[in-house]
Amino acid sequence: MCFSRSLILLLSLALCACAGSATRVAPTGDLSPSASGPSTAVANAVLFRALALVGTPYRYGGNTPESGFDCSGLVGYVYRDAAGIGLPRTSAAMGDLDRPEISRSRLQSGDLVLFASGRSISHVGIYVGEGRFVHAPNRGGTVRLDRLDAPGWRETFRMGKRVIL
């Protein structure tokens, strides 16, 4: 029950923040959103699309709602579908993007959150606000909302990346 109230509150706050419809960004060779729409609207579109996919089954290599998602498939699908932004296919390649690195304390909705086992980026999700992120964590699971400060995620968090500038 508490999870449902938190999700409804989060969605309500995001709706109030955008007040208008999200602007779709045309796909480009680079990662720059269109200058015609405010970055807040694009970030909100990414946020809503990611939250709408909570509960979708995990599938290694999956990159559509119909086939299921792995972590990078989910992130790539959401950015492409909600913002028209193409991202690399793997979490490691997303970690190598030439985009600003963001500390945990400066994360904004729509930022990528990247996790590492050892030195290599091995997991990615989308920050939604209030210390939470959406991701496709493991085989047998589903896309879900987790806290960055939860055990396992707190220790492996490496950085955020701001894709929507």
Side-chain angles (χ1 to χ4, degrees):
M1 186 70 152
C2 183
F3 173 76
S4 297
R5 287 184 192 161
S6 296
L7 187 56
I8 290 169
L9 176 63
L10 186 61
L11 287 171
S12 297
L13 288 172
L15 276 173
C16 291
C18 86
S21 62
T23 302
R24 204 181 251 313
V25 177
T28 61
D30 65 10
L31 300 173
S32 303
S34 165
S36 65
S39 61
T40 301
V42 176
N44 282 336
V46 166
L47 170 74
F48 288 126
R49 189 64 182 123
L51 288 170
L53 294 167
V54 168
T56 303
Y58 177 93
R59 185 175 73 88
Y60 181 77
N63 59 5
T64 67
E66 297 78 28
S67 68
F69 292 107
D70 64 12
C71 66
S72 58
L74 170 69
V75 171
Y77 174 83
V78 168
Y79 270 84
R80 189 174 50 257
D81 186 59
I85 297 173
L87 294 175
R89 179 59 180 99
T90 67
S91 56
M94 288 179 193
D96 288 337
L97 284 171
D98 184 21
R99 289 309 212 208
E101 289 187 18
I102 308 298
S103 68
R104 186 183 322 217
S105 63
R106 296 190 64 226
L107 288 168
Q108 295 177 3
S109 296
D111 287 342
L112 300 183
V113 287
L114 297 140
F115 303 85
S117 54
R119 295 181 186 205
S120 308
I121 297 296
S122 57
H123 190 64
V124 63
I126 300 170
Y127 188 71
V128 298
E130 297 186 8
R132 295 178 182 216
F133 68 107
V134 171
H135 65 131
N138 55 2
R139 294 177 198 251
T142 61
V143 172
R144 68 183 194 215
L145 191 61
D146 274 329
R147 297 198 55 81
L148 280 173
D149 61 1
W153 302 119
R154 176 180 49 242
E155 298 82 16
T156 58
F157 176 83
R158 288 300 175 263
M159 70 181 123
K161 285 274 183 162
R162 180 135 316 134
V163 176
I164 302 166
L165 300 175

